[in-house]
Amino acid sequence: MTPTDENVARLQPDVEQIAPILVWHSRAEDYRKALMQRLPGVPVEVRSGPGRVKTSQARALLTWAPPPGALGQLQALEWIHVMGAGVDGLLGRDDLSASVQLTRSLGRFGDQIAEYVVGYLLHQFIAIEDYRRDQDRGVWNGQPRPLLKDSHVGVIGLGSIGQVVAERLAAFGAEISGVCRTARPVPHVSHVYDARNWRQMVPACDALVLTLPLTQESRGMIDASVLAQMRPGAVLINVSRAALIDEEALVLALRDGVLGAAILDVFEHEPLPEESPLWTEPRAWVTPHIAGPSEVDSITIEFADNYRRFVEGVPLANLVDRQRGY
Ligand code: GLV
């Protein structure tokens, strides 16, 4: 996407209001180029690896996971915009000053993750992998064809990502239940559970999708007791953070055949270590954290819009509530 004259003009700040930006990321140069187009005249420094920053005047930082201690070196820093949806990696850091504002991205994570979820569920239901294997061996062997239309999917986390997942699955006719911190009506979701009663939803679901942030409350929430309540053959999809799930319990549930499949895009250690049992578990489907990639275009559009707010002193969009954890 190229910036239109209109949005460049709208985002061009007054000279007095210019706040230097630092981009700290392995793709910092790509982000800098995009920011130069969207915020002409604004100085953008880049860092792509560890190292000391001598005299950065940056008041705004665009980053994902800056090296340990990096934030403490930025004396003029007032605002950090995170390139991703989840900010759990930054919140616990001791170099994050309490006075710095923190914002996160919406990107196109809703669309990306919804397509990942629909794709992997259909892949399971149509047994695509089995037919390919049969084809390779010249075997003609039809299997039952469950439909997404007849399925009940539980979407745990009904924020900007979970809502799109619910909408896209509902378009296939699936019944959607969902969970958010405090129950409220959500389009396409027939029953919304809250943080206290969400376990009631589990036994009715053919699939559970985790689209909630990792916080103190959500850490480890998918434990052995929840897995034991899942329908035999049900599918668990995690596109959020690995620490939501007790991995040992998950591996046992997959081995015992309690779960039909676990579709996992996120892991405690990434890349997934060679010795992880998940690599070779037939019912686990491992993807390398690609369900909702950060895209330079959509992230810099959001950042530039927030930058304008920042220099004008109006409240930033998608501000993180540090108490809540997202
Ligand atoms: C990626 O994991 C993100 O939080 O955007």
Side-chain angles (χ1 to χ4, degrees), residues 64 82-88 105 109 161 239-241 266 289 292-294:
W64 168 242
V82 176
M83 292 164 183
V87 291
D88 49 291
S105 301
F109 304 134
I161 295 173
V239 289
S240 171
R241 291 291 182 266
V266 284
H289 208 139
S294 300

Side-chain angles (χ1 to χ4, degrees), residues 30-284:
D30 295 341
Y31 279 96
R32 189 180 67 82
K33 284 191 190 130
L35 287 177
M36 279 169 60
Q37 276 194 299
R38 299 195 187 287
L39 296 170
V42 178
V44 181
E45 295 172 62
V46 291
R47 292 278 185 290
S48 51
R52 271 208 71 73
V53 176
K54 286 191 200 86
T55 53
S56 175
Q57 298 306 313
R59 290 172 56 203
L61 173 66
L62 175 60
T63 191
W64 168 242
L71 304 177
Q73 301 173 29
L74 304 172
Q75 297 306 321
L77 192 63
E78 292 168 49
W79 164 42
I80 302 175
H81 183 82
V82 176
M83 292 164 183
V87 291
D88 49 291
L90 273 187
L91 284 182
R93 289 175 54 142
D94 49 18
D95 58 348
L96 176 67
S97 148
S99 63
V100 169
Q101 301 192 79
L102 191 59
T103 55
R104 64 194 190 95
S105 301
L106 302 184
R108 298 202 298 164
F109 304 134
D111 291 327
Q112 293 164 331
I113 286 176
E115 292 195 11
Y116 177 96
V117 169
V118 168
Y120 269 91
L121 281 178
L122 290 176
H123 178 268
Q124 288 299 315
F125 288 3
I126 306 174
I128 291 173
E129 205 79 14
D130 292 354
Y131 292 122
R132 176 75 234 185
R133 214 171 23 241
D134 288 349
Q135 178 187 343
D136 290 345
R137 294 177 310 166
V139 172
W140 182 271
N141 177 32
Q143 298 185 39
R145 272 289 319 279
L147 292 187
L148 209 40
K149 186 177 190 325
D150 302 328
S151 304
H152 188 160
V153 182
V155 180
I156 305 186
L158 290 169
S160 57
I161 295 173
Q163 285 184 38
V164 185
V165 172
E167 179 204 317
R168 303 292 151 80
L169 289 171
F172 280 85
E175 180 179 352
I176 312 296
S177 290
V179 180
C180 54
R181 243 161 82 110
T182 43
R184 60 186 158 82
V186 174
H188 313 289
V189 181
S190 54
H191 198 123
V192 179
Y193 295 81
D194 64 25
R196 283 163 309 153
N197 66 6
W198 68 272
R199 285 181 185 77
Q200 291 171 16
M201 176 186 87
V202 173
C205 292
D206 301 293
L208 285 184
V209 183
L210 305 183
T211 46
L212 74 170
L214 176 64
T215 62
Q216 275 176 6
E217 292 83 50
S218 64
R219 183 176 291 276
M221 68 187 285
I222 307 295
D223 57 14
S225 70
V226 171
L227 293 167
Q229 281 180 52
M230 288 180 71
R231 272 195 179 165
V235 177
L236 176 65
I237 302 185
N238 190 6
V239 289
S240 171
R241 291 291 182 266
L244 296 172
I245 304 179
D246 174 342
E247 189 185 293
E248 242 173 80
L250 173 66
V251 170
L252 287 178
L254 288 168
R255 287 193 183 146
D256 293 350
V258 175
L259 275 192
I263 317 294
L264 305 170
D265 187 51
V266 284
F267 303 91
E268 199 56 51
H269 299 287
E270 295 180 2
L272 183 63
E274 212 179 312
E275 62 279 10
S276 168
L278 293 168
W279 280 118
T280 50
E281 169 52 51
R283 291 194 172 90

